[in-house]
Each structure stands twice: as structure tokens, then as C-alpha cells.
Amino acid sequence: MITEINKIKQNLIFKAEADFFSQHKCNFTQSLVAYLESENRCGCCLLDNSHIAENFYDALFLPENDCYDKHLCWMKHSNTTNQNIGFFFSSLMYNLLEAFIEYKETKDLKKSIDLIKICAQLQKEILSTLQNKQTFDVSPYLPKKDGITYLHNMYKLERGVRFITHTELGTCPHISLVKNIGQYSAVIQVSDEQMTMMMGHHSSFIIKDSDDEKNFSVTTEILCAEENTVIIKEIKELESVPLLSRKFPRAAIIHASLIHIANEKEYITGNMLDISEGGMGIMSSTKSQFEKGQKIVAFISYEDEESGFRFSLEANGIITSITGVEQVFRYGLQLSLNNEEKDIVLNLVNILSGTQDTK
């Protein structure tokens, strides 16, 4: 079963010999790519063969990469028999073991024997997994990371999570359903537009709760483009700081927006996450030299195709906060708005909050 594969991967040899598994990846994946191109192209994932091979190797031999049923799809949707796949997979494992013995130069016979036993276990479980249905929790008996625990709770409550994909051209939010849970990662289903965006450069967010402003940055990996499933991992909660004035009603943004923030030296592009008369929260993939308290000019545009509500404005303001991890940054802005602009923003907040119709 897939759960047994993830359990086997907890063996310390995978961490202790991480250098070997890193070095052998190229040879392993080249052999698998050649096989896929000659006999067993996996059409269900809509991914290139190199991507399939690399993901398969990482899922089997990197301890912090959860193995999901979909990683085995190149076997399940084969044009050849299970017996032929078994022979081919055996040859991959044999070559790995031979390379490991040469790598150790017979200095550690015990580790070589241990790896032989582990590979035999993996092979047995993988071939048996081909006959089983998909498993939701692929690591049920292993401790999960905090972000994974949150996603698991959302699944048990039958609730989706607000997943946002960002590029320089715009932001696409989607209420995503959790499809699978691992120890370090989870599989969610995204929208068609988000899947298209993920083919290029992107940054992604999960908004946990707009009321307490907790946000998670994540990295993503496409699992199956046809099913719109992606793996989210390295789930890190961003530092929690108050971004907007509490004395004004505010609302989370759910439609398309585009923000430019500039001063005399710098210019970045982002998208609104939430807004009030007192200011707004912005997501951007750009790390800037802006500092808290610095004066800026913001160019803002927003459009809700369903209601027909749209506006654009330019306003002076200051940076009230900057939080971020790697390529995901959130900026808090306090804006100086005139009465007409405040009415526009208040109208938007009311629309998003469902308190009144579009003006």
C-alpha cells in the first residue's frame, strides 16, 4: 500500500546517504524517461516524461517528499503488462543497488545489505499498490507538520482552503479542496486558470483566516495537470502583524486586482488581499527595498465581472508592514484617500461583505 511506501521511507539510510541519492537521480531518471518514450508514455498526467521521472524518484527516495498514488500513474496506465513493468522496475532498483555498492567501495557492507532489503520492500509495496484504490492519508501514523494539520482539519470539516496563485500579470483566488494528505505536503485541486499560471513563474498563498490575518506561503509542484491537482509543501506561516486599521470595516478580495507601488527609486507590482478605508494588504512576488514607514504612491485597479463593479485610483500612502518568506511577500499600506475615494472603497467593502448592492 502507498502508506507502507511512506513508512519505509522513514528509514534513516535515506537521510544518512542523501549525497548518494542525489548523485544517482540523473541515471535513474534517464533510464525511466527512455522507457516512457519507448513503451509507456503516461498520457493522463499531461506532463513531460522528465517531470514524471523526477517526481517518481523524489517520491521514492527523498524522505521529505511524500509519495502519492498519482506518482505511480506511469505504471497504472501502462500499455504493457504488470509483469513487464515489474521486470523494468527491478532493473532500476538493481542498477541503484549496484551504484550504491560502488559508491561505498565495500567499506560498509551492512548499509549495502540494509538498502537491498529496503529496495525489496519498496518493490513489493509498489507492485501491490497498483491494484489498490487511492488513499487519502498516505502517512496516517506519522507526525504531520503544522500546516498539514490545519489542512487535515479543513478536510474533516468538509471545507476548502482559499488558495491564491500570483504572477506579475495578476492574482487568481480559488477555494480549493484537499484531495490527499501526507506528512510534509498535501494535494489540492486548483482551477483551470491557476493550473495555466503554474506552468510559468508564480508564487502562491493560502489564506487561513481573514479575520486573524494568518497566511501561509507554500511551494507548489504539479501532480496531474489533467485533474488540476498540485502538491503544496514547505508550508510556512508568515509572521502575524496588524496590516490594516481595525477601526474601519474591511473585506478580503476575491476578484481581479492590480497594484503598483512606487517611490522615486523603486517600483513593484502586486495584488490586493484585503482592503478597508484605512488601507490594504497586498501580495507580491517581488522583494523590495521598501521599509516600514516609507512614503509611496499606489496605483490601484479592481474589477468584479459578476457585479460589474470596477474602479481605479491613485493615492499617496505609507508602508505599514512587510512580511514574507522567500518569493512571497505581503505589504501593508495606509492610504490617504479623499472623500470620493473613501466612498468607493467603502462601497467595495460593503459589496464584498454582502451588506449592500453595487452602487
Side-chain angles (χ1 to χ4, degrees):
M1 294 175 63
I2 200 76
T3 55
E4 289 301 315
I5 295 173
N6 285 292
K7 188 176 179 180
I8 291 169
K9 285 173 55 187
Q10 301 306 303
N11 193 293
L12 294 178
I13 195 170
F14 292 108
K15 288 186 177 179
E17 301 298 337
D19 288 343
F20 164 75
F21 287 106
S22 176
Q23 292 177 27
H24 188 69
K25 180 176 179 177
C26 183
N27 289 338
F28 188 103
T29 55
Q30 283 180 351
S31 298
L32 180 50
V33 167
Y35 177 78
L36 292 173
E37 289 178 347
S38 63
E39 298 185 38
N40 189 55
R41 183 176 298 276
C42 181
C44 67
C45 287
L46 302 180
L47 299 175
D48 62 76
N49 291 325
S50 295
H51 195 131
I52 295 170
E54 290 174 4
N55 287 352
F56 179 73
Y57 186 85
D58 292 347
L60 281 192
F61 301 116
L62 300 190
E64 294 192 358
N65 280 50
D66 296 301
C67 183
Y68 295 101
D69 297 84
K70 208 65 183 179
H71 286 125
L72 311 182
C73 69
W74 66 273
M75 293 182 170
K76 290 186 177 184
H77 296 84
S78 172
N79 294 322
T80 58
T81 64
N82 285 346
Q83 184 178 20
N84 288 341
I85 293 176
F87 285 139
F88 170 69
F89 184 68
S90 295
S91 71
L92 288 178
M93 300 300 260
Y94 176 83
N95 291 337
L96 182 143
L97 292 170
E98 185 179 42
F100 184 73
I101 292 171
E102 292 179 0
Y103 173 79
K104 301 303 289 185
E105 297 179 344
T106 69
K107 293 178 182 177
D108 196 338
L109 183 59
K110 183 180 182 304
K111 278 196 174 179
S112 297
I113 294 174
D114 288 343
L115 187 58
I116 290 172
K117 292 179 180 178
I118 291 168
C119 287
Q121 287 180 291
L122 281 174
Q123 183 170 334
K124 176 184 176 183
E125 295 299 336
I126 284 174
L127 294 179
S128 66
T129 299
L130 300 183
Q131 309 301 322
N132 297 329
K133 295 182 179 179
Q134 183 167 289
T135 302
F136 171 73
D137 189 344
V138 301
S139 301
Y141 308 113
L142 300 174
K144 303 182 188 304
K145 296 295 184 181
D146 291 341
I148 302 302
T149 301
Y150 161 69
L151 292 173
H152 200 179
N153 291 339
M154 293 298 100
Y155 171 81
K156 289 189 290 186
L157 292 171
E158 298 183 345
R159 291 170 54 189
V161 293
R162 188 167 182 251
F163 182 71
I164 299 176
T165 302
H166 170 75
T167 71
E168 293 183 353
L169 299 178
T171 291
C172 180
H174 182 67
I175 302 301
S176 298
L177 299 176
V178 180
K179 309 297 289 184
N180 299 100
I181 286 285
Q183 185 181 9
Y184 302 99
S185 63
V187 176
I188 64 172
Q189 192 166 38
V190 302
S191 68
D192 291 340
E193 184 179 355
Q194 286 180 324
M195 181 57 64
T196 301
M197 294 170 74
M198 288 182 189
M199 297 296 184
H201 175 74
H202 67 278
S203 298
S204 302
F205 255 17
I206 295 174
I207 304 303
K208 177 179 177 182
D209 188 330
S210 60
D211 290 332
D212 59 21
E213 293 180 341
K214 288 186 178 180
N215 304 270
F216 292 89
S217 71
V218 304
T219 60
T220 59
E221 171 188 308
I222 297 173
L223 182 61
C224 180
E226 184 178 65
E227 296 179 357
N228 282 3
T229 53
V230 299
I231 297 173
I232 54 175
K233 51 188 177 181
E234 298 179 25
I235 302 173
K236 301 176 183 178
E237 186 172 346
L238 299 184
E239 179 186 356
S240 296
V241 295
L243 295 178
L244 303 176
S245 174
R246 296 282 180 177
K247 66 181 180 179
F248 295 110
R250 60 179 170 153
I253 297 298
I254 58 175
H255 296 290
S257 65
L258 187 61
I259 310 292
H260 302 292
I261 309 172
N263 60 16
E264 63 276 7
K265 296 181 179 179
E266 195 167 6
Y267 172 95
I268 66 170
T269 299
N271 300 89
M272 282 191 286
L273 292 174
D274 45 35
I275 188 169
S276 79
E277 290 181 68
M280 63 180 62
I282 294 171
M283 179 172 73
S284 176
S285 58
T286 304
K287 184 176 182 179
S288 71
Q289 300 299 316
F290 291 134
E291 297 178 355
K292 184 177 178 180
Q294 193 169 48
K295 294 181 179 180
I296 53 90
V297 177
F299 305 88
I300 305 161
S301 64
Y302 176 86
E303 180 177 0
D304 177 354
E305 293 183 357
E306 294 180 6
S307 68
F309 182 83
R310 59 177 60 87
F311 75 87
S312 60
L313 59 87
E314 174 184 336
N316 294 320
I318 62 171
I319 304 287
T320 58
S321 64
I322 303 173
T323 58
V325 176
E326 296 176 355
Q327 293 186 344
V328 180
F329 300 94
R330 179 166 179 169
Y331 299 86
L333 303 184
Q334 179 179 324
L335 301 177
S336 299
L337 303 176
N338 60 35
N339 290 336
E340 182 181 354
E341 291 166 341
K342 287 180 181 179
D343 287 342
I344 292 173
V345 172
L346 181 58
N347 190 29
L348 174 59
V349 171
N350 290 335
I351 291 169
L352 294 174
S353 302
T355 57
Q356 71 176 50
D357 295 328
T358 306
K359 289 183 179 180

